[in-house]
Amino acid sequence: MAGRSHELKVDKTTIGRVEDNTFPIVEPSISSHHCEILLRGSEVVVRDLNSTNGTFVNGEKVTETVLKPGQILRLGQIEMRLEAGAPAAPGTAPAPAPAPSTSGPAKKPVDHTMVMQRGVKLDDLEQGQRAAGFDTTSSGFSKKDNKVNKIFIILGVILGVVIAGLLLYALAIAK
């Protein structure tokens, strides 16, 4: 995924593991709907969507914050950098500059491009290795606590004990 970029053209860009996101990243440490990037005037705001492994800006866990050019956004094991200018794709001409306005001072267009600085190789995932420079000591990954699963397991254990008790009772009566 190294070198992959996504231009922020709309007011809201969702990032996550599933395909219905504006910017899908198929990687196990990314939640289905991990975070969203909001364009508010000239500001770029990142908002965590209750992700399992959290959203970090320059190593600090955030729920919502303004993302500035050059800052590193980390989602799971993926790190991205917000850049102010979009690099032209190879073999294409740069986009033409907008025509100057005659009614007042010209406003520079705000370009929001997110570039993934480092990615994760499939071999690294299979072997459980981490990308260089990735610090897991301060924020280890964790699985979300699921109350429904706990209740299901408890009810299963209780039902198993009741069935075992009934079997023992049936065997005691048969003797």
Side-chain angles (χ1 to χ4, degrees):
M1 296 191 69
R4 183 174 168 197
S5 66
H6 179 79
E7 187 173 348
L8 301 173
K9 297 179 186 177
V10 293
D11 290 339
K12 181 170 114 175
T13 300
T14 58
I15 302 175
R17 192 176 63 245
V18 295
E19 289 297 320
D20 68 349
N21 287 287
T22 315
F23 187 48
I25 302 174
V26 182
E27 207 282 320
S29 67
I30 304 287
S31 293
S32 299
H33 297 96
H34 200 100
C35 71
E36 60 187 6
I37 308 293
L38 307 165
L39 299 180
R40 293 184 183 156
S42 62
E43 290 185 331
V44 177
V45 177
V46 61
R47 178 186 303 155
D48 184 74
L49 297 175
N50 195 24
S51 62
T52 301
N53 295 320
T55 299
F56 297 81
V57 174
N58 287 347
E60 298 286 325
K61 188 170 185 174
V62 298
T63 52
E64 182 173 328
T65 191
V66 173
L67 188 62
K68 297 186 171 126
Q71 288 186 317
I72 302 297
L73 173 65
R74 179 168 53 99
L75 313 173
Q77 294 182 1
I78 302 297
E79 290 183 343
M80 296 175 268
R81 182 182 66 240
L82 179 68
E83 291 188 349
T92 61
S101 171
T102 56
S103 62
K107 290 184 180 179
K108 291 184 179 180
V110 179
D111 185 12
H112 304 286
T113 301
M114 187 174 299
V115 175
M116 297 182 72
Q117 188 175 27
R118 275 184 241 145
V120 178
K121 296 177 187 170
L122 182 59
D123 293 337
D124 292 345
L125 290 175
E126 291 170 351
Q127 297 171 8
Q129 297 174 347
R130 302 274 192 257
F134 185 76
D135 179 23
T136 58
T137 56
S138 62
S139 61
F141 296 118
S142 63
K143 189 174 182 180
K144 276 191 180 176
D145 189 20
N146 191 339
K147 292 180 183 177
V148 175
N149 284 347
K150 283 184 179 178
I151 292 170
F152 183 74
I153 290 170
I154 291 170
L155 289 176
V157 169
I158 291 171
L159 184 61
V161 169
V162 168
I163 290 172
L166 288 174
L167 285 174
L168 290 174
Y169 178 73
L171 288 174
I173 291 177
K175 287 184 180 185

